[in-house]
Amino acid sequence: MKLTIQGRLNTCLLMMLRTPAEAVRHLLPPGLELATHGRWAFWNIAYGQLAGVRPVGLPESRGMSYRQIAYRLVVRARTQQGEERRGVYFVKSFADLSPARWVGNLLTDFNIHPGVLDFTEENRAIELTMDAGRADHETRIRLEERGGPMPDDSCFASQAEADDWLRCEALGLSVKGDDLRLVEVERDAARWQPRAMAITGARFGFLETLGLEETTPERAICAGPLDYRWRLGGRERLARSTEPGVPTPSIGTPTAV
């Protein structure tokens, strides 16, 4: 079943972190592979304050408003037609509204769990916290506006190279059987004007539960408000690899979104 959901993203915070590919490859199902740069894979951690989320055709007053944080890996997949798809795979998500979790888990593979989230912004600094009922899942992040998006210890050789790899992915990917499942995001690209941020302090509790000691911020941005649409139910036939996360031959560098 195909369904289009619409809503408004009042605040969007994206944090991109590099981590050794071998440390996270096992988190992927067969059919997906990590998008890597050298020995690095990339987390795309997204926080959103959403409002009026509902199926297209319903009035905004019938929509749900909630906060959510999603831990996602940047991945690729190849279809039977030989085409390559690049997007994000949702490893685990947390949301603070029970109906949003129930509907999200029914319609998507976002793997949404309960979490109490708090977001404050003052004097160009952001504080984000989450309590998921477990000390080892606690999340505390502080960000401040910065002059440029590229840190001094980046794994990329140039700003252009970083821009290509760390762009905002607009496609959610998951696998069911021999099918690649897609969640396609629609937004007004002309109104997407993110502010560059720097992570000045962080505890990513969920990553700690995975034993990821070598995880380093590459980029953080804040954007919004912006109207969004999510198209659910897309499917393509997979050309499957034999093991989770094992690369298949590249068909070229994907174009930036």
Side-chain angles (χ1 to χ4, degrees):
M1 178 185 70
K2 291 189 176 183
L3 179 67
T4 299
I5 304 294
Q6 66 181 14
R8 189 166 183 81
L9 198 58
N10 286 327
T11 300
C12 177
L13 181 62
L14 291 175
M15 295 158 284
M16 283 68 88
L17 288 71
R18 70 177 187 265
T19 196
E22 292 306 317
V24 294
R25 199 181 302 278
H26 68 285
L27 299 174
L28 301 185
L32 295 182
E33 64 181 73
L34 294 168
T36 57
H37 178 75
R39 72 184 189 94
W40 301 106
F42 297 91
W43 287 99
N44 181 312
I45 301 173
Y47 166 82
Q49 294 179 343
L50 299 105
V53 178
R54 76 278 185 195
V56 167
L58 288 183
E60 186 175 356
S61 60
R62 299 287 300 275
M64 296 183 291
S65 297
Y66 58 96
R67 299 177 179 184
Q68 180 172 325
I69 188 170
Y71 288 85
R72 314 177 304 181
L73 286 168
V74 183
V75 296
R76 292 175 176 172
R78 183 187 294 273
T79 70
Q80 281 190 348
Q81 289 71 34
E83 297 178 329
E84 190 175 72
R85 300 285 180 258
R86 171 165 159 155
V88 289
Y89 171 71
F90 286 69
V91 179
K92 196 167 189 177
S93 305
F94 301 87
D96 62 3
L97 183 67
S98 179
R101 295 192 297 269
W102 185 84
V103 173
N105 287 326
L106 177 67
L107 298 178
T108 73
D109 298 316
F110 290 175
N111 192 20
I112 309 173
H113 297 259
V116 179
L117 294 109
D118 186 49
F119 177 98
T120 59
E121 183 172 5
E122 186 176 2
N123 298 326
R124 297 186 177 183
I126 291 172
E127 297 276 356
L128 172 62
T129 64
M130 183 186 71
D131 180 3
R134 293 174 47 179
D136 59 356
H137 276 44
E138 180 185 17
T139 299
R140 295 188 178 276
I141 310 164
R142 179 176 174 82
L143 305 99
E144 297 177 2
E145 286 197 29
R146 61 179 300 158
M150 189 172 178
D152 294 336
D153 61 349
S154 174
C155 68
F156 299 101
S158 67
Q159 184 67 65
E161 186 178 56
D163 289 344
D164 179 54
W165 280 92
L166 300 178
R167 61 192 178 273
C168 302
E169 303 295 348
L171 187 64
L173 299 177
S174 62
V175 173
K176 184 172 184 179
D178 292 327
D179 289 337
L180 181 66
R181 296 170 55 136
L182 297 85
V183 175
E184 300 169 86
V185 174
E186 297 178 353
R187 61 175 182 246
D188 185 352
R191 299 187 61 187
W192 176 258
Q193 298 179 348
R195 293 175 287 146
M197 309 293 293
I199 298 176
T200 58
R203 181 190 180 189
F204 295 98
F206 173 61
L207 299 186
E208 293 178 11
T209 68
L210 300 177
L212 301 180
E213 298 179 358
E214 193 178 359
T215 301
T216 307
E218 278 285 350
R219 174 175 290 179
I221 57 176
C222 185
L226 195 64
D227 292 329
Y228 264 65
R229 287 193 175 194
W230 297 267
R231 290 192 291 155
L232 314 180
R235 289 178 181 249
E236 295 183 343
R237 204 69 169 172
L238 271 171
R240 294 171 65 96
S241 57
T242 56
E243 298 180 20
V246 174
T248 53
S250 176
I251 62 172
T253 302
T255 303
V257 174

